[in-house]
Amino acid sequence: MKSIRNIGFLVISILSQQIYAQQFIGQHSSNYAGINRATFNPSAIAGTRYRYHLNLISFNATVTNRYFKYFRSDALFHPFKHPYTEADMYGKSKLTGSLIEGEQLNLSAELRTPSGYVGLGRNNWLVVGFQTRMRGFVQGSGVPSVISQVYTDRLDYGLNKPESGSFKDFVVNQHSFFETGVTFAAMPVRLEGIARLKVGATLKRLSGARNVFLNIKSANYQLRPLNQEEYVLDLSNVNYEYGYTQPVQSFSLGSLFSSAYGSGAAVDLGATLELGQIQDHAQYRANYIIRIGAALTDVGKITYPKGGKVYAGTVNKLTVNQARIIDIGNNSSKNLETTFGKSDPKEYSYETHLPSMLNMDADVQFAKSFFVNATWMKPANSGKLPSYLYQPEVFSLTPRFEGEDVEFTLPISWIKGNDNPTIGFSVRFGPAYIGFSNFGALASRSVQPRGSLAYFGIQLWKLNEKALTKRKK
């Protein structure tokens, strides 16, 4: 894991300017998550107990506990690196951390802007919703240990150790885009006390996209001291390729919906089956013995207009210090050109395929308002960066107590690529909620992996009037 988050910044740096979101783990299975459940399975909101639900704002990002020691003004990276600014828009790079151990890198961030739905018909058998969110990813493979060390210890703290060697096939990719979607969910079958079948779909438009990548196909390196505190990283015989879809652009709100920087479409499809009921259960709470759901999400891709560039070549010698790392992090397209040059220019011709996932879950109610959820999320496509975004395979087991005004979850996740499971938690009081996928990593440096998803949000809702009437009786 040290490799990962470390990679983060240099990777980042080298990339910056790509979740795995885990869908607000812990909250993704809640019957009170409203529109936020639709990104995991669009059918989940059919037959809702809400007349309407509104997500005012929510945020989900990978973090570590490094900020306790390294909160510095020059830590400038976040997966939301935007195509319209040389400086970061959202946060500090030292806060981010990969969710996977080893030579892989996986950082993500997601900002869910106002979204919501309204229920229609008897028992809200039809629900229509809308979603808006900004998504960012930093992903990498083949990350060498020296890059990890440079990120972890910096080059100006005197914490490095001299070493030399070589590496190859180091790839990092950063991607950010804006998403608007319309969700339709229906409950065609409702047999009271026996079964309820729900189906749903979300149609999404993708815009405001940016993709930047760096591929070091092979290089030799030497990490050496300049003085007691400063080190430099010498790279030689660097065989590279890098590219970007857009240089830094001027920004306006309309840029988020413009096709001038990239556009595409995607779809989510899902179905949910609820079976049985608990006698004398509160009418305004979820009442089933078992709920089974399956969904296919993020099936789609983004294409880019002309204007992007790809360069390839060989650099005999390149010296990297902390200042250069920071410069690359501030404006990847400009500083990649400065660092590696602009030999063999070509038009950027890649498309980006979204991280399609097969999401399956089973939710069992063992007692009134006490549930245990099992979730399996598996990649549904495969390919290499920068043409394919990806998310790792995840299995999670989540005990959950839920009520209208308060909720607690304890998600335990097994992420492919990690040796140990991660334990998180989430809480909701009234309209506000907060959660972590790997709380131990924030409390102790010894816990691996070091990265954790952290999320929070604020929501508003109105219960079904008929349910409210029954509650008062």
Side-chain angles (χ1 to χ4, degrees):
M1 169 64 231
K2 189 178 181 180
S3 275
I4 286 178
R5 65 175 224 273
N6 304 328
I7 314 166
F9 185 67
L10 192 76
V11 156
I12 275 172
S13 302
I14 285 182
L15 233 240
S16 99
Q17 268 252 137
Q18 144 229 19
I19 166 141
Y20 133 75
Q22 245 190 22
Q23 302 295 343
F24 290 66
I25 191 161
Q27 286 288 309
H28 77 282
S29 60
S30 169
N31 291 293
Y32 290 92
I35 189 63
N36 289 321
R37 282 202 67 205
T39 56
F40 177 79
N41 187 331
S43 68
I45 59 176
T48 175
R49 272 152 287 281
Y50 296 132
R51 177 58 65 184
Y52 66 79
H53 180 274
L54 178 65
N55 170 71
L56 295 180
I57 189 169
S58 54
F59 185 71
N60 185 25
T62 50
V63 300
T64 72
N65 62 8
R66 293 194 71 220
Y67 58 87
F68 291 122
K69 185 174 182 180
Y70 294 114
F71 190 78
R72 293 169 59 90
S73 61
D74 57 10
L76 290 176
F77 180 79
H78 194 283
F80 274 162
K81 193 70 181 182
H82 208 277
Y84 315 108
T85 177
E86 292 190 12
D88 249 342
M89 294 183 70
Y90 307 96
K92 308 292 185 180
S93 68
K94 302 295 186 181
L95 296 179
T96 62
S98 177
L99 299 171
I100 309 176
E101 300 177 75
E103 296 182 347
Q104 302 298 310
L105 174 69
N106 203 310
L107 312 179
S108 68
E110 182 176 332
L111 176 65
R112 299 189 181 188
T113 42
S115 307
Y117 66 68
V118 60
L120 305 170
R122 181 179 176 84
N123 298 312
N124 293 331
W125 74 271
L126 176 64
V127 176
V128 180
F130 69 95
Q131 302 177 37
T132 60
R133 56 177 175 164
M134 182 179 287
R135 303 171 70 182
F137 300 84
V138 174
Q139 299 181 336
S141 61
V143 181
S145 61
V146 66
I147 299 298
S148 300
Q149 182 190 154
V150 167
Y151 171 65
T152 304
D153 299 330
R154 298 177 55 96
L155 287 170
D156 56 358
Y157 279 177
L159 300 177
N160 306 101
K161 295 181 180 180
E163 68 169 282
S164 60
S166 63
F167 60 85
K168 61 181 181 179
D169 299 326
F170 169 35
V171 183
V172 288
N173 183 86
Q174 183 274 335
H175 198 114
S176 59
F177 58 95
F178 190 71
E179 177 183 295
T180 55
V182 179
T183 301
F184 300 93
M187 185 169 55
V189 177
R190 179 185 173 92
L191 302 176
E192 194 63 45
I194 301 175
R196 291 166 293 280
L197 175 64
K198 307 175 182 182
V199 294
T202 300
L203 308 178
K204 300 187 285 190
R205 182 182 185 275
L206 314 171
S207 56
R210 176 180 177 80
N211 197 336
V212 186
F213 77 93
L214 170 66
N215 180 3
I216 298 183
K217 300 177 181 180
S218 62
N220 301 320
Y221 72 87
Q222 181 181 15
L223 185 60
R224 60 182 174 87
L226 287 180
N227 51 52
Q228 286 187 334
E229 292 189 350
E230 293 184 272
Y231 274 68
V232 293
L233 179 64
D234 292 327
L235 301 175
S236 60
N237 300 320
V238 182
N239 184 12
Y240 70 87
E241 181 183 50
Y242 72 88
Y244 55 85
T245 56
Q246 292 289 336
V248 172
Q249 305 288 326
S250 60
F251 174 76
S252 66
L253 185 60
S255 299
L256 294 176
F257 304 94
S258 172
S259 299
Y261 309 103
S263 62
V267 63
D268 299 343
L269 301 171
T272 300
L273 178 64
E274 296 178 356
L275 299 173
Q277 70 175 20
I278 297 176
Q279 292 184 348
D280 302 321
H281 201 42
Q283 292 292 330
Y284 59 92
R285 293 187 177 179
N287 191 2
Y288 52 81
I289 302 298
I290 185 170
R291 184 191 74 205
I292 301 171
L296 185 62
T297 60
D298 282 333
V299 180
K301 64 182 180 180
I302 299 172
T303 57
Y304 308 98
K306 292 182 178 180
K309 295 292 183 182
V310 174
Y311 302 100
T314 301
V315 174
N316 292 328
K317 186 174 182 180
L318 175 64
T319 298
V320 178
N321 58 18
Q322 189 65 31
R324 183 181 287 270
I325 291 174
I326 294 168
D327 287 341
I328 295 176
N330 278 342
N331 185 332
S332 57
S333 57
K334 180 177 71 176
N335 286 297
L336 283 171
E337 291 176 349
T338 301
T339 301
F340 291 96
K342 298 191 289 184
S343 63
D344 191 22
K346 298 178 182 178
E347 292 293 321
Y348 191 101
S349 59
Y350 294 102
E351 297 177 323
T352 295
H353 295 258
L354 298 192
S356 299
M357 297 291 289
L358 175 63
N359 300 327
M360 302 183 68
D361 80 314
D363 201 58
V364 180
Q365 186 168 196
F366 285 93
K368 294 180 181 179
S369 302
F370 177 74
F371 303 79
V372 175
N373 179 271
T375 294
W376 180 45
M377 293 180 279
K378 181 178 176 60
N381 64 1
S382 61
K384 295 182 179 180
L385 297 173
S387 295
Y388 286 81
L389 297 176
Y390 62 89
Q391 298 187 70
E393 184 175 342
V394 181
F395 176 79
S396 65
L397 196 63
T398 307
R400 179 179 85 256
F401 170 81
E402 68 174 30
E404 178 187 347
D405 299 315
V406 64
E407 182 171 336
F408 303 94
T409 76
L410 188 69
I412 305 170
S413 301
W414 289 261
I415 303 173
K416 188 174 182 178
N418 293 344
D419 293 332
N420 300 309
T422 61
I423 301 175
F425 78 90
S426 72
V427 296
R428 175 176 57 82
F429 293 104
Y433 55 90
I434 185 172
F436 301 89
S437 69
N438 185 12
F439 185 73
L442 302 182
S444 171
R445 282 176 172 270
S446 64
V447 174
Q448 299 295 331
R450 290 288 308 284
S452 172
L453 284 164
Y455 63 87
F456 68 88
I458 301 175
Q459 57 190 358
L460 297 176
W461 66 87
K462 181 180 178 62
L463 283 172
N464 187 310
E465 292 293 344
K466 185 175 181 179
L468 281 174
T469 301
K470 290 182 179 180
R471 180 183 177 187
K472 292 177 181 177
K473 289 181 179 181

